[in-house]
Amino acid sequence: MTQTTQPRREFHSGRGKKTFDRIPGGFYLVGALVILFEAVMLGVVGLALAVGDPSDDGASPDKEPRRVEVTYIATGDHPSVNLTVGDANSHVPHGVVILPYRKTVELAAGADFYLDVKSREDQEGGTLTCTVLVAGKVVRQAHSTPDSSSATCAGTTADAPQPGISVPTLTPGASPLPEERRLTGTAKVPHYPGESSPVIGTVTDSSLEYAELGGTWDRSKTLDPIFDGFTRKQEGRQRALVKSTQVDEDIMAAAGGTGELRGVAGAVMDERRRYEYPRDQAILVDVASQPLKVDGHDAWLLVSEIHFHKRGVPSTMDLNAVLVVDTGRVRPSVLWVVLPETNKKLWPDLNTLVASVQVS
């Protein structure tokens, strides 16, 4: 018997259609377009990252701007000056500096610079010069004028060099000042060798009697204590001085108000430094500090070297002596002696003066 072959039946889930058969044909086109768009965008981004910003010079955003060397130079005939330097952000006072002054820093290309060289209050006049170098070339230079006590240089690091202006020669200036040294113990006054000035009389002042010196010394004179702070003065050559008075209340207060003679002597020395020498530029180096008996009265002698730089003054160190004597009055009396280093032949006069003091 001949059998007839029957077509094989297919079994499908659902309602008899395949899953992909249920997706409309248009969706295939949309999907292909989306995939193509994403591929194109990824390529553009990658190309941008590889090529970079046309305005970028190849440096990373975090790279610091180019920097240049800037040199500040201050010169003049002053031993020391007030100096102010600055950059794009601020002007910074450097305080007192010894001339000549030179310092090199790094600033950003195009940044501002500022240099001001100014005479100190007690050293006005003379000549001052400021100079600024950028990459070793002079871009600014200025000089003080007769009616000005300062020289100022200001500009930017992008300024062009000034032709024909040379870098100032930095000749040696004032020697550095020594470190401050104050005695806390006692030390005897040395005997200064040599022949002292002749004694031509006796000065009586503020319950003290002491020698009046001759030779190169002028005669002793009376002073107004309101204006001079002392009641008696004798002057010698090259700023040598002998002065006397009764210690005033302000100095007693500075010494703690107890009347302790060593503290009073130190307070007198500090006051003399403050008023007789360049401010913030005078260094005390104690040589001797010892108790004494003056005509049976308690006394204290303090001897110090005061090192300083002052325009127009050849001496850079004065020997200062302060002798404080308890005379029995409410406040002690004081004898102050100044003998400059440039006239050391007068230093033996200190021994003569101290030995001559009596209580009147």
Side-chain angles (χ1 to χ4, degrees):
M1 174 183 290
T2 301
Q3 293 182 344
T4 303
T5 303
Q6 298 291 331
R8 185 173 58 91
R9 293 185 61 185
E10 293 183 359
F11 294 92
H12 302 285
S13 62
R15 298 181 179 179
K17 292 185 178 181
K18 293 181 179 180
T19 301
F20 286 105
D21 292 341
R22 305 202 318 255
I23 299 177
F27 281 177
Y28 290 108
L29 179 60
V30 172
L33 291 175
V34 169
I35 293 172
L36 179 61
F37 177 79
E38 289 179 351
V40 171
M41 291 305 297
L42 288 173
V44 170
V45 171
L47 181 62
L49 290 176
V51 174
D53 188 345
S55 64
D56 192 356
D57 60 358
S60 65
D62 295 333
K63 184 178 179 180
E64 293 184 0
R66 185 172 65 88
R67 302 182 72 81
V68 294
E69 282 192 349
V70 177
T71 301
Y72 300 109
I73 299 177
T75 53
D77 61 358
H78 293 226
S80 60
V81 293
N82 289 311
L83 192 76
T84 301
V85 299
D87 52 25
N89 299 316
S90 62
H91 298 162
V92 182
H94 268 41
V96 176
V97 299
I98 302 296
L99 293 185
Y101 172 90
R102 179 185 179 118
K103 184 175 183 180
T104 299
V105 299
E106 281 194 351
L107 297 179
D112 298 332
F113 61 75
Y114 179 88
L115 173 64
D116 180 71
V117 187
K118 188 172 184 179
S119 298
R120 304 184 63 196
E121 291 182 4
D122 54 354
Q123 300 187 40
E124 294 183 355
T127 59
L128 296 172
T129 300
C130 66
T131 306
V132 178
L133 281 62
V134 175
K137 304 290 185 179
V138 177
V139 298
R140 281 289 186 279
Q141 188 174 84
H143 308 277
S144 61
T145 60
D147 58 347
S148 173
S149 59
S150 66
T152 303
C153 292
T156 74
T157 58
D159 292 342
Q162 296 189 7
I165 299 181
S166 59
V167 178
T169 301
L170 302 184
T171 56
S175 58
L177 296 175
E179 293 185 2
E180 184 109 343
R181 185 173 74 245
R182 307 304 299 267
L183 290 172
T184 56
T186 60
K188 291 185 177 182
V189 178
H191 179 78
Y192 296 102
E195 185 178 355
S196 63
S197 301
V199 176
I200 62 173
T202 301
V203 177
T204 301
D205 178 56
S206 303
S207 300
L208 295 180
E209 289 183 358
Y210 55 92
E212 181 177 10
L213 302 174
T216 60
W217 291 86
D218 296 333
R219 296 304 298 262
S220 181
K221 298 178 181 179
T222 301
L223 297 176
D224 185 343
I226 300 299
F227 295 100
D228 296 282
F230 289 85
T231 50
R232 199 80 182 180
K233 174 180 75 171
Q234 187 175 20
E235 291 182 295
R237 290 182 180 176
Q238 300 179 13
R239 300 171 51 254
L241 286 172
V242 177
K243 288 187 174 183
S244 58
T245 191
Q246 187 180 22
V247 178
D248 66 29
E249 295 179 352
D250 290 341
I251 294 180
M252 295 295 292
T258 63
E260 192 269 325
L261 295 180
R262 179 171 191 159
V264 174
V268 173
M269 188 71 76
D270 288 338
E271 185 201 44
R272 293 300 92 208
R273 169 171 59 172
R274 183 165 59 252
Y275 286 104
E276 302 294 336
Y277 293 89
R279 187 176 60 185
D280 302 325
Q281 192 67 15
I283 300 299
L284 270 171
V285 178
D286 288 343
V287 174
S289 184
Q290 68 175 111
L292 293 177
K293 284 291 184 179
V294 173
D295 199 16
H297 294 257
D298 291 335
W300 197 280
L301 178 60
L302 175 63
V303 181
S304 303
E305 297 175 351
I306 297 186
H307 298 258
F308 64 97
H309 298 304
K310 187 172 184 178
R311 180 177 173 270
V313 178
S315 176
T316 59
M317 190 274 278
D318 290 344
L319 190 69
N320 278 249
V322 171
L323 176 62
V324 178
V325 183
D326 183 358
T327 62
R329 300 173 66 180
V330 176
R331 298 190 303 276
S333 297
V334 60
L335 181 71
W336 176 50
V337 183
V338 181
L339 302 170
E341 185 181 35
T342 50
N343 200 359
K344 278 190 173 182
K345 68 180 183 179
L346 293 181
W347 284 20
D349 290 347
L350 176 59
N351 302 119
T352 300
L353 287 164
V354 171
S356 71
V357 178
Q358 300 289 319
V359 175
S360 61

